[in-house]
Amino acid sequence: QACVGRPGLGARGRSCAAAEDMGQTDPDSEGMFCINDPTAHGAGAALEGVGKLDQVIRVGFGGQPEGKQGSKDGKIFADPIQFPDQLGREVVKVFVKYTEGEDVPAELLIPTALYYKEDAMKDPALK
């Protein structure tokens, strides 16, 4: 079931308010997909404030350090991670080929990954 309320616009504070709205309009929600890690933390803060942190599963997005820490702390269930460094390298390679007149693919997919608590527990960059 989807709930569309006030948008969080990717910001922690606005997402907190949006999650509070969701809690009032759809109190039986079981999960939230958040557009980035700050949104997931904002929503988590709102849920924690009303005692529903453990009742609503949150998925962040981006693999930022705060999202990874949230996974370790059990505040984010999973965090899809993109690899912008790989994306940048591949874009430059394709651009060079294109400017040299070579054929380039119409689409280039860069694999992503899901980051869970188990991954965070082994991550030396986290406290």
Side-chain angles (χ1 to χ4, degrees):
Q1 179 177 1
C3 172
V4 179
R6 182 172 18 156
L9 301 176
R12 186 182 208 127
R14 288 185 62 108
S15 298
C16 184
E20 287 170 349
D21 287 352
M22 187 190 95
Q24 293 173 7
T25 60
D26 192 5
D28 297 325
S29 290
E30 296 176 358
M32 298 173 75
F33 174 80
C34 303
I35 66 166
N36 62 19
D37 294 334
T39 300
H41 281 290
L47 293 166
E48 191 168 27
V50 295
K52 290 191 172 190
L53 186 62
D54 296 331
Q55 296 172 4
V56 181
I57 296 170
R58 283 151 330 285
V59 174
F61 197 88
Q64 297 171 341
E66 73 173 326
K68 290 180 174 183
Q69 187 67 49
S71 294
K72 185 172 185 176
D73 297 340
K75 294 184 176 185
I76 296 177
F77 175 72
D79 205 20
I81 298 176
Q82 302 176 81
F83 300 99
D85 55 335
Q86 292 176 20
L87 178 61
R89 282 193 298 272
E90 292 303 315
V91 166
V92 169
K93 287 178 190 175
V94 169
F95 180 74
V96 169
K97 287 182 181 181
Y98 177 79
T99 60
E100 293 174 349
E102 294 183 41
D103 289 334
V104 296
E107 180 177 69
L108 179 63
L109 301 177
I110 304 298
T112 59
L114 280 176
Y115 190 91
Y116 295 99
K117 183 172 187 160
E118 301 82 49
D119 301 306
M121 297 306 284
K122 296 181 263 179
D123 192 332
L126 301 179
K127 50 184 168 162

